[in-house]
Amino acid sequence: MSRLLKRARRFLKRAPIANPMPLEVVDCRKVGFKNDHENGWFRRDTSQLADGFPISSEDVVIDVGCGDGGISAFAGDMGARVIAVDIDPKAVESTGRRLAKSKARSFEVHQSDSNPLPVPDGICTRVIALEVLEHVDDPASFIAELVRVATPDALFLIAVPDPNSETVQMGIAPPAYWQKPNHVRVFQHEQLDSLIQNAGLHIESRSCKNFFWAMWWSLFWATGGNGMDTDHPILNHWTMTWHHLLQSEKGKAIARNLDRMMPKSQVIVARKAA
């Protein structure tokens, strides 16, 4: 046994500290945003929502499954015309408020199941669908709708949960996680590629992100998964660990490697033919 390993074992056998320092609580959403920013997302300095996906004031952006509006608001602040769509009326209301405060040259919000999208043919130069495909009954029809509303040469940003992180959720997440309106399918990488290419899109890049969130959700279920109550010591400790990791000398490199090993999401940038 190496001397280093022996020292490590002696350290682990030590009695716990009687009076540990109080835990500093850091907002997981802020840590998650910082993690995304390190991965090239939400870069206002380059007007890129993600690597290879710039947004300008010339663009018409559709954000399908807009959630609380963070993505739409970023597009708005780039000066784009923004069309936000979600099935949840509360999400649509929240996104409308955020867009009203943004720098969007114009915007509209729609409550819709996206079947079909309430948008004319061929008007969108940027098409965004993040963490949506895993919820829909017919992914091919959904992608076809995205292609319908896009202009020639439009860019697409599509993300779904990665199969590695979804495998970890199996047996941990409650049954409802795998039922409508939640995740009704898991996309292997090849399946997602085929779905996008069969719709006539050319894949320009593939990436992965968010080991932080993959672990966070696993720990969330382990703590009982009580609604969106995130104030739990296990979750707080994990968030603080990642927060300090990103500030350490080799933290960003470690985070990138872990993202490749078990990302929360697989991300594709694709383009419609000109």
Side-chain angles (χ1 to χ4, degrees), residues 192-246:
L192 183 61
D193 288 355
S194 295
L195 180 69
I196 290 172
Q197 291 167 339
N198 290 341
L201 302 178
H202 170 71
I203 296 176
E204 295 202 336
S205 68
R206 164 184 282 284
S207 60
C208 52
K209 70 186 186 82
N210 271 333
F211 175 84
F212 167 73
W213 282 117
M215 279 299 302
W216 190 94
W217 278 106
S218 298
L219 297 174
F220 177 73
W221 302 127
T223 64
N226 182 19
M228 286 309 295
D229 181 8
T230 63
D231 187 15
H232 190 285
I234 291 176
L235 297 175
N236 291 338
H237 276 290
W238 170 242
T239 301
M240 279 303 304
T241 296
W242 200 258
H243 170 68
H244 288 298
L245 175 70
L246 292 179

